[in-house]
Amino acid sequence: MTNSIADIIDADVLLVIGSNTTESHPVLSLEMKRAVMERGAKLILLDPRRIELAAFAALHLRHRPGTDAALINAMGHVIIQEGYANQEFIDARTENYEALAASLKSWTPERAAEICEIPPEGIVEAARLYGQAVRAATFWAMGITQHTNGTDNVLALSNLALLCGQVGRPGTGLNPLRGQNNVQGACDMGGLPNVFPGYQPVGDEAARQRFAAGWDLPQGSLNPRPGLTVTEIMDGALEGKIRALYIMGENPMLSDPNISHVESALSSLDLLVCQDIFLNETSRMADVVLPGVSFAEKDGTFTNTERRVHLVRKALDPPGESRQDWQILMAVAARLGTTWSYESPSEIMEEIAGLTPQYGGIRHERLQQGGLQWPCPDLTHPGTPILHSDAFTRGRGRFVPVDWRPPPEQPDTEYPFLLSTGRVLYHWHGGTLSRRSPGLDALAPEAEVEIHPQDARRLSVDSGQRVIVRSRRGAVVARARKTRRSPPGTVFMTFHYAEAAANLLTGDEVDPVAKIPGYKVTAVRIELVDEPTEPPAGRKP
């Protein structure tokens, strides 16, 4: 996030796209509601589903799944044509504007409306609300990133913010809402295949020299080639290029696309090691399981969606022979011949600060007084609530023209529905934790598939009946739920339930840049089944 949760209240306009905020980020959504109810902010909601935020929206456009870039481009077209572009900001702080303006000429509201299946007047209204705002803040989540053109979707939003100068001030900004706790921190610490901690490229010789020195390694020993993403790792396992895999706190047998493909990949490994707090669908396939501990049983830090580093303190002793993750990793490393000698997470943080400029001033001692937002380059720096206030890190903000590409899989006569996936308030991600809570599981005990009453009537399906949802890759059984929340022709499922794993259905095509899978648009069909029924053949209960 370029901005902070606290300054949501300062926004005149909130643009929310691809985020079911009240269910995926319920605390943050309260700030959005406050801005609307207490300050009169206008909420523009761009979402195919009628989610809770629709009740607070000045405008809700229910565009067809997978058409986000077309809609955003058309908003940019209107902003330029009607004179809402912030020319002073464009001239002072951006580059490549002419290329963007040329690319948007053809993106009329009428063209986008036909693609998005929404009225062109709605696109014009959204553009005017955003373009006329003094302070407009943009929020998005996996609803626009988990597509084969997810990078383009985000670039289109960046173009929109630069076009109107909505960066670098309170109540503005580009604000991705992270999908899981500490995702931001994992990325900051180099949990990506092409960078060291602090987003320093592995291909940068100066960065390699700095980390080699900091880690007491011979110069030239660090590999300059980027590694593989999750989906590439699975492909590499099937090709025999990946022979061993070490998985920490993740359950790809539920969360990765095309689970049958994942199962084949993991089965082909020579060695699978899983480090987690519970057995799950993936760790049951492991050769070695290393017992980690929960957040309540460890010390360290979490970095949240607004770049705020929080101190985590152990409240309980770990059960049995489980250990904190850093202790397990250090023990494994010792058996591989290293001489790591960390005594505590605070000592590790000191190393992080020495090698990661954004974290240079962050220490556990300072965090005792409260969280700090990076960049925090030195011990006297107070942290940075808002990024890019005076200048962009690269100098000028660059407009990047993008086109719209249809999803690789479209409905047809055999698979006539679009399936989208997401979360429900009561469960989190793969349900490994939340489904162990009797109270939460009682509120949402089994998988449901949302289907519009119009489609349900045509299929003779009623709420509560069990149906098979089938794609070209697999099938699952779920309870039907008739609701107008999802539009006609679209069905929705959550991905929390191993016994009805939605990702048995999704494809493994990925965005060419970020390599993120297209979870949100899958062609499926719905079949009514007689009670009682078992899961379709091939799925392990």
Side-chain angles (χ1 to χ4, degrees):
M1 289 177 65
T2 62
N3 285 54
S4 302
I5 296 170
D7 74 27
I8 291 175
I9 194 70
D10 296 321
D12 302 314
V13 167
L14 305 171
L15 174 62
V16 179
I17 179 169
S19 169
N20 185 0
T21 319
T22 59
E23 298 199 58
S24 294
H25 303 88
V27 175
L28 187 144
S29 73
L30 294 175
E31 297 303 308
M32 293 182 175
K33 293 176 182 178
R34 282 185 61 219
V36 172
M37 301 298 291
E38 297 179 14
R39 286 200 61 253
K42 303 294 185 182
L43 173 62
I44 305 169
L45 179 63
L46 309 179
D47 198 300
R49 296 175 70 222
R50 187 177 287 130
I51 59 176
E52 184 185 345
L53 276 185
F56 297 83
L59 176 66
H60 179 198
L61 297 182
R62 304 181 71 181
H63 58 298
R64 182 178 175 83
T67 63
D68 307 281
L71 173 53
I72 301 165
N73 277 350
M75 288 178 62
H77 171 96
V78 173
I79 286 169
I80 292 175
Q81 292 300 310
E82 297 195 358
Y84 301 129
N86 187 334
Q87 198 62 49
E88 181 180 354
F89 183 91
I90 291 169
D91 293 341
R93 296 194 55 185
T94 72
E95 63 186 26
N96 207 37
Y97 170 68
E98 292 76 13
L100 177 78
S103 74
L104 294 181
K105 280 185 178 179
S106 64
W107 278 107
T108 64
E110 291 74 20
R111 178 189 176 192
E114 185 175 350
I115 293 170
C116 300
E117 299 179 359
I118 55 176
E121 296 81 12
I123 298 174
V124 173
E125 183 181 355
R128 288 173 177 168
L129 282 170
Y130 187 89
Q132 293 175 355
V134 176
R135 296 179 299 275
T138 302
F139 302 87
W140 72 91
M142 294 180 289
I144 68 161
T145 59
Q146 290 184 338
H147 291 268
T148 55
N149 62 345
T151 300
D152 288 346
N153 290 339
V154 175
L155 287 171
L157 288 177
S158 175
N159 290 336
L160 204 63
L162 293 177
L163 195 57
C164 296
Q166 298 293 359
V167 182
R169 296 177 286 119
T172 69
L174 290 158
N175 302 295
L177 306 180
R178 297 306 190 189
Q180 300 174 50
N181 182 36
N182 213 23
V183 162
Q184 184 66 58
C187 295
D188 295 349
M189 293 301 102
L192 296 163
N194 60 332
V195 293
F196 293 114
Y199 307 97
Q200 301 172 74
V202 298
D204 185 294
E205 184 175 355
R208 293 197 305 276
Q209 291 177 351
R210 184 162 50 252
F211 279 94
W215 292 339
D216 196 25
L217 296 172
Q219 289 295 328
S221 61
L222 293 175
N223 194 331
R225 292 179 298 148
L228 303 179
T229 64
V230 170
T231 51
E232 291 172 328
I233 288 171
M234 295 303 171
D235 291 339
L238 281 173
E239 295 166 6
K241 298 176 182 177
I242 302 294
R243 307 296 296 274
L245 194 54
Y246 194 129
I247 298 176
M248 289 179 56
E250 186 65 28
N251 186 9
M253 279 294 293
L254 190 59
S255 60
D256 279 18
N258 193 356
I259 290 175
S260 297
H261 175 80
V262 174
E263 185 171 19
S264 297
L266 296 181
S267 298
S268 69
L269 295 167
D270 293 341
L271 174 65
L272 174 60
V273 180
C274 288
Q275 184 170 319
D276 218 316
I277 63 174
F278 294 118
L279 283 176
N280 56 38
E281 288 71 28
T282 304
S283 55
R284 290 189 180 99
M285 299 179 64
D287 300 290
V288 178
V289 177
L290 300 172
V293 300
S294 75
F295 75 97
E297 299 151 349
K298 66 175 69 172
D299 296 305
T301 61
F302 289 162
T303 305
N304 75 358
T305 195
E306 63 172 2
R307 298 170 284 106
R308 187 179 299 277
V309 185
H310 288 281
L311 191 63
V312 179
R313 303 167 183 84
K314 186 177 74 169
L316 302 170
D317 290 328
E321 296 183 66
S322 60
R323 304 185 195 179
Q324 297 189 39
D325 295 314
W326 69 273
Q327 294 172 325
I328 295 174
L329 291 173
M330 196 165 74
V332 172
R335 286 161 174 78
L336 292 171
T338 71
T339 56
W340 297 359
S341 57
Y342 304 110
E343 296 294 332
S344 68
S346 63
E347 188 176 329
I348 297 171
M349 177 57 79
E350 290 179 7
E351 179 184 295
I352 292 168
L355 292 169
T356 310
Q358 297 98 317
Y359 281 68
I362 297 178
R363 301 291 192 281
H364 281 204
E365 292 77 12
R366 292 191 71 191
L367 296 177
Q368 294 280 359
Q369 307 305 315
L372 291 166
Q373 288 174 274
W374 66 256
C376 180
D378 58 61
L379 289 172
T380 63
H381 197 282
T384 309
I386 300 174
L387 298 179
H388 316 307
S389 295
D390 301 313
F392 294 103
T393 305
R394 68 181 304 276
R396 286 178 172 263
R398 183 172 179 82
F399 288 104
V400 182
V402 297
D403 206 355
W404 171 74
R405 292 178 288 109
E409 186 170 83
Q410 296 289 334
D412 54 24
T413 54
E414 187 177 3
Y415 298 96
F417 292 97
L418 276 178
L419 167 70
S420 188
T421 64
R423 288 182 173 148
V424 66
L425 176 63
Y426 307 108
H427 289 306
W428 185 77
H429 206 51
T432 305
L433 298 176
S434 59
R435 294 198 67 200
R436 294 174 184 271
S437 165
L440 293 175
D441 209 43
L443 290 167
E446 62 180 332
E448 293 182 329
V449 52
E450 291 183 358
I451 183 168
H452 193 276
Q454 175 181 312
D455 296 323
R457 184 166 54 251
R458 182 167 49 84
L459 295 172
S460 300
V461 170
D462 204 356
S463 287
Q465 288 184 294
R466 300 182 82 187
V467 296
I468 294 178
V469 185
R470 191 182 302 277
S471 76
R472 292 177 174 87
R473 287 155 294 278
V476 299
V477 173
R479 295 281 182 192
R481 182 186 179 194
K482 289 197 301 184
T483 173
R484 297 183 185 276
R485 203 177 194 200
S486 292
T490 298
V491 296
F492 174 85
M493 288 185 68
T494 61
F495 45 66
H496 308 300
Y497 300 88
E499 64 272 24
N503 284 323
L504 276 168
L505 310 173
T506 52
D508 46 18
E509 296 89 353
V510 298
D511 179 285
V513 179
K515 309 297 183 184
I516 194 168
Y519 290 102
K520 302 304 183 187
V521 180
T522 301
V524 299
R525 67 173 181 260
I526 307 294
E527 304 168 3
L528 183 62
V529 296
D530 296 326
E531 298 278 11
T533 186
E534 295 296 325
R539 175 59 184 157
K540 295 180 179 180

